[in-house]
Amino acid sequence: MKQSYPNIELILVDDGSSDGSKDWIHSFINNKNIQYIDIPQPIGNCSAFNKGFRKSAGKYIIDLAADDILLPERILKGINSFLKSSEAGVTYCDVMNIDENGVELGTHFNRNHRGDLAKKVPEGDVYAELIKHYFISPPSMMIKREVLVELEGYDESLSYEDFDFWIRSSRNWNYAFTDEVLVKKRKVAGSLSEAQFTYRSMHQASTLKVCQKIKELNRTREENSALRKRCFYEIKQCIKQGNWSLITGFLKLI
């Protein structure tokens, strides 16, 4: 990992891979200061991350998939963002999407011909915005340790982590944005992010659980309105994906 910031703790978690990755990992970490957690059978992203987090000691945490790339200034600029925004529990940045061969596909946030953002990116109290729509690229996040301690890590009952983490963390913590591309995210066929939108995806049941949490966490009329919009969107997704049994659950939250 080539980073301008030197004090890095690297923890590699293998969640039950069966494609020969373990042999490559053993050769890669040989004589390197890398903690390795070998999980024999897959336990899912949330549980696997928590195992790594419990082994960690760092003040800031980045949850990075093996296919994604941190650019050299990512950690240093993330730390600087925290220093400028003392109330922030999470800082995030723009991302360059790449294909499986590393070809650049464009930035996560729309930018004009000069490279400037086409519109303002949410910062500060982003709780209501996160209910309405997904606007953060997950690998762009850097998280204060206190946030994950307060949340007791990811919710292991869920099949994916980001929506739940965004909601629970943003309820009590501000978010700060760094207006630079500091991460490359690889678009891979069959990835977890793509699987959320496949026919009868199991991830929609997790989304319903998160929306039920939102109902309990909401404090204002605006937040309840945001939840209604989210539920209408998810009902449409249920219809597209054939998850008919979940529709009633979303209707109860409207």
Side-chain angles (χ1 to χ4, degrees), residues 90-175:
V90 179
T91 182
Y92 68 107
C93 62
D94 201 358
V95 165
M96 177 60 71
N97 294 310
I98 59 176
D99 68 12
E100 295 185 28
N101 297 313
V103 176
E104 294 184 352
L105 304 174
T107 55
H108 178 72
F109 293 108
N110 292 329
R111 293 179 177 271
N112 62 26
H113 66 281
R114 296 187 302 273
D116 299 325
L117 290 168
K119 63 179 182 179
K120 184 175 173 57
V121 173
E123 289 191 90
D125 182 357
V126 296
Y127 176 76
E129 285 297 319
L130 284 167
I131 297 172
K132 293 175 190 174
H133 62 106
Y134 306 138
F135 58 86
I136 297 171
S137 182
S140 76
M141 293 191 298
M142 182 184 287
I143 307 163
K144 276 185 179 175
R145 183 175 197 85
E146 300 100 290
V147 176
L148 286 162
V149 170
E150 179 183 286
L151 301 181
E152 298 181 344
Y154 292 160
D155 182 344
E156 297 185 7
S157 73
L158 305 177
S159 63
Y160 71 101
E161 72 286 347
D162 42 29
F163 186 31
D164 179 71
F165 172 78
W166 292 332
I167 292 301
R168 292 195 295 138
S169 62
S170 66
R171 178 73 286 179
N172 295 325
W173 296 83
N174 283 349
Y175 276 48

